[in-house]
């Protein structure tokens, strides 16, 4: 087991964490402003300022803040009308939140494999599933195996790198499917010079503590559609039709972000470009230090992508290496360096064992071999060098 310093009190001085927030911009000023003015809860100027600023950074028409990225996914699916017994095609290799959100609305995920080069949802397999494993009749797409209606595709841009979306958008348009982007790990990354979050019908971001920018906890739904934005705002504020008489026509949620959280998020968002540059620099340094090392394969950046390298990740090939990914993680922990594997692919997750998976193979292999390395935006070069030498010692079987 990797050492867990959280459970043991303070980490040692030379501990290198996986990724920690860096809070040295306007965070204090804005939070003080909340406290000084008394606006700490769900009303107050920072929520809208945060929404407007995110929309402006992305070039989006609408942004609606939510309590978490998971809440954003939940209301986004409701806003496009995904409901009980519908199906949504979801990346198999991702954190579990998007698949859970599909279940919250009573729909079912169908898990799609990862592409071996980008590690993102494989567009060729998505197209193949839609064209071969589904039937199109009376303006609806149905899964031949489950007989359920396929309503949407939910690609997850993992680790800061975009999904190759054009083929997915094309097949979605052909069969009248919605595309919901889970961009929670990839704020600021670009696909063919377009911002992620603007490519599908609706997109979700997260500002949890481990993401590129944080509001403590928080999320955002982004869309170009006024109708969807209105629906998201309505559902995330308890679907209130008459605010004086408290009349509600639908079941809504309290998914409002607080002014305090939004003030933190805004201060962080002001530093987005600096953070992206820092992540890209870290990635370049890892890339340079690890190129030519046959035991590990660094993550790629596709020619059409600009990645934010949210967590710098490498594959440890067990055929070329004296150790596997899990022993590398243990060895790094012994050197007080935090690293971690990717997520159990969702078609293996006991929580989603009833869901269908379509020829998922690559995701399993990536899960077996991947290790994410320390990637905080304030990671010092000397610390990065210590990580690299510990990785080299471990994979080459030296004593380090
Ligand atoms: C972090 C994350 C989420 C959820 O965000 P929260 O704000 O933690 O709810 C959703 N999807 C993916 C892929 C994530 O990594």
């Amino acid at each position: 087991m990797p050492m867990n310093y959280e459970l043991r009190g303070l980490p040692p001085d030379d501990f290198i964490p996986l990724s920690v927030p860096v809070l040295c911009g306007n965070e204090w000023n804005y939070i003080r402003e909340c406290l000084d003015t008394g606006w700490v809860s769900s009303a107050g100027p920072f929520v809208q300022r945060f929404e407007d600023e995110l929309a402006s950074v992305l070039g989006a028409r609408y942004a609606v803040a939510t309590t978490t990225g998971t809440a954003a996914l939940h209301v986004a699916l409701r806003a496009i009308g995904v409901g009980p017994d519908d199906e949504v095609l979801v990346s198999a290799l991702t954190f579990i939140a998007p698949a859970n959100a599909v279940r919250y609305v009573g729909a079912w995920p169908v898990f799609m494999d990862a592409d071996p080069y980008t590690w993102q949802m494989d567009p060729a397999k998505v197209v193949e599933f839609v064209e071969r494993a589904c039937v199109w009749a009376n303006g609806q797409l149905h899964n031949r195996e489950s007989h359920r209606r396929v309503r949407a595709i939910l690609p997850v841009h993992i680790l800061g790198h975009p999904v190759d979306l054009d083929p997915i958008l094309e097949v979605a348009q052909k069969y009248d499917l919605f595309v919901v982007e889970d961009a929670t790990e990839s704020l600021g990354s670009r696909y063919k010079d377009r911002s992620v979050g603007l490519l599908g019908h609706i997109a979700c971001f997260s500002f949890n503590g481990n993401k590129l920018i944080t509001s403590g906890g928080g999320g955002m739904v982004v869309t170009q559609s006024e109708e969807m934005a209105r629906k998201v705002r309505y559902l995330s504020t308890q679907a209130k039709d008459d605010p004086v008489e408290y009349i509600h026509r639908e079941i809504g949620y309290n998914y409002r972000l607080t002014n305090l959280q939004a003030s933190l998020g805004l201060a962080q968002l002001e530093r987005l470009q600096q953070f992206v540059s820092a992540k890209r620099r870290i990635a370049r340094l890892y890339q340079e230090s690890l190129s030519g090392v046959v035991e590990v394969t660094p993550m790629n950046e596709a020619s059409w992508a600009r990645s934010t390298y949210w967590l710098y990740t490498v594959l440890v090939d067990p055929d070329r290496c004296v150790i596997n990914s899990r022993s590398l993680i243990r060895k790094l922990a012994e050197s007080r360096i935090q690293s971690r594997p990717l997520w159990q692919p969702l078609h293996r997750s006991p929580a989603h064992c009833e869901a269908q998976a379509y020829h998922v193979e690559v995701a399993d292999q990536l899960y077996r071999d991947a290790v994410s390395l320390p990637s905080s935006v304030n990671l010092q070069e000397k610390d990065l060098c210590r990580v690299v030498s510990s990785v080299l010692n471990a994979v080459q079987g030296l004593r380090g």
Side-chain angles (χ1 to χ4, degrees):
M1 279 293 288
M3 281 179 257
N4 192 338
Y5 293 104
E6 273 161 291
L7 298 179
R8 294 200 196 163
L10 284 177
D13 282 345
D14 64 348
F15 175 68
I16 306 178
L18 187 69
S19 186
V20 290
V22 171
L23 306 160
C24 49
N26 275 321
E27 288 83 356
W28 261 118
N29 294 338
Y30 291 173
I31 286 176
R32 184 174 294 114
E33 199 175 318
C34 294
L35 300 182
D36 287 347
T37 57
W39 292 107
V40 293
S41 192
S42 49
F46 279 114
V47 178
Q48 195 182 341
R49 280 178 68 185
F50 186 33
E51 291 175 344
D52 290 350
E53 184 63 21
L54 188 80
S56 141
V57 162
L58 296 172
R61 287 215 186 93
Y62 306 99
V64 181
T66 56
T67 45
T68 64
T70 308
L73 286 160
H74 183 193
V75 278
L77 288 166
R78 275 213 51 195
I80 60 173
V82 173
D85 281 330
D86 287 338
E87 284 187 347
V88 180
L89 313 188
V90 181
S91 307
L93 187 64
T94 174
F95 180 57
I96 199 168
N100 286 355
V102 168
R103 297 296 295 123
Y104 297 164
V105 299
W108 292 91
V110 178
F111 295 118
M112 293 288 138
D113 205 4
D115 172 272
Y117 185 78
T118 64
W119 311 352
Q120 310 294 323
M121 178 185 261
D122 183 341
K125 282 191 173 162
V126 171
V127 171
E128 186 186 283
F129 173 81
V130 170
E131 300 279 4
R132 299 213 194 134
C134 298
V135 280
W136 174 251
N138 305 321
Q140 297 188 350
L141 190 71
H142 284 91
N143 182 339
R144 284 179 199 275
E145 189 177 306
S146 65
H147 304 291
R148 295 192 188 111
R149 184 174 173 197
V150 180
R151 293 294 306 282
I153 307 176
L154 204 171
V156 185
H157 307 289
I158 60 166
L159 301 172
H161 191 288
V163 176
D164 182 10
L165 264 189
D166 278 345
I168 292 173
L169 294 171
E170 194 179 311
V171 82
Q173 187 171 12
K174 185 167 168 194
Y175 294 102
D176 204 17
L177 306 172
F178 286 106
V179 175
V180 181
E181 289 174 76
D182 181 335
T184 49
E185 298 182 7
S186 298
L187 173 61
S189 79
R190 298 177 76 78
Y191 174 67
K192 300 183 181 175
D193 229 24
R194 290 175 279 164
S195 289
V196 305
L198 300 186
L199 308 161
H201 297 92
I202 195 163
C204 299
F205 291 90
S206 164
F207 312 109
N208 192 31
N210 60 351
K211 298 302 200 288
L212 183 57
I213 68 164
T214 184
S215 59
M220 199 86 82
V221 178
V222 166
T223 176
Q224 304 295 79
S225 150
E226 185 183 357
E227 191 195 329
M228 282 181 201
R230 196 164 7 90
K231 187 92 204 231
V232 166
R233 199 172 290 284
Y234 175 71
L235 289 170
S236 61
T237 52
Q238 298 286 26
K240 208 182 283 171
D241 291 295
D242 184 316
V244 179
E245 302 288 339
Y246 290 105
I247 293 165
H248 311 256
R249 271 181 296 122
E250 277 190 64
I251 309 276
Y253 315 93
N254 177 7
Y255 282 168
R256 288 175 305 178
L257 194 69
T258 66
N259 200 52
L260 259 178
Q261 291 166 310
S263 75
L264 191 58
L266 178 66
Q268 289 265 290
L269 188 53
E270 290 172 352
R271 314 208 48 220
L272 178 64
Q273 286 321 315
Q274 280 161 277
F275 288 178
V276 171
S277 304
K279 290 279 193 193
R280 289 186 60 84
R281 179 168 168 274
I282 290 166
R284 201 182 62 241
L285 291 171
Y286 272 130
Q287 172 78 42
E288 285 166 7
S289 330
L290 294 171
S291 75
V293 178
V294 297
E295 292 87 351
V296 298
T297 309
M299 67 197 300
N300 295 303
E301 183 180 51
S303 58
W304 38 260
R306 188 173 162 87
S307 174
T308 59
Y309 292 98
W310 170 55
L311 284 182
Y312 194 83
T313 303
V314 298
L315 303 179
V316 179
D317 184 342
D319 298 330
R320 292 184 180 173
C321 201
V322 292
I323 59 170
N324 64 23
S325 62
R326 301 314 189 267
S327 10
L328 173 59
I329 290 168
R330 267 194 306 275
K331 294 252 181 201
L332 291 175
E334 284 163 17
S335 308
R336 297 161 314 285
I337 294 168
Q338 191 181 22
S339 62
R340 65 157 222 207
L342 294 181
W343 322 266
Q344 179 183 51
L346 295 174
H347 68 300
R348 305 267 171 212
S349 168
H352 289 283
C353 61
E354 288 173 71
Q356 186 187 349
Y358 183 71
H359 301 312
V360 180
E361 293 139 22
V362 176
D364 282 327
Q365 201 183 322
L366 294 169
Y367 171 61
R368 185 193 63 188
D369 297 345
V371 178
S372 297
L373 300 175
S375 309
S376 304
V377 294
N378 63 357
L379 181 66
Q380 301 297 305
E381 201 162 331
K382 70 169 178 20
D383 288 338
L384 187 143
C385 291
R386 208 179 103 208
V387 176
V388 168
S389 62
S390 300
V391 169
L392 293 182
N393 287 341
V395 297
Q396 296 173 342
L398 308 172
R399 300 205 301 130

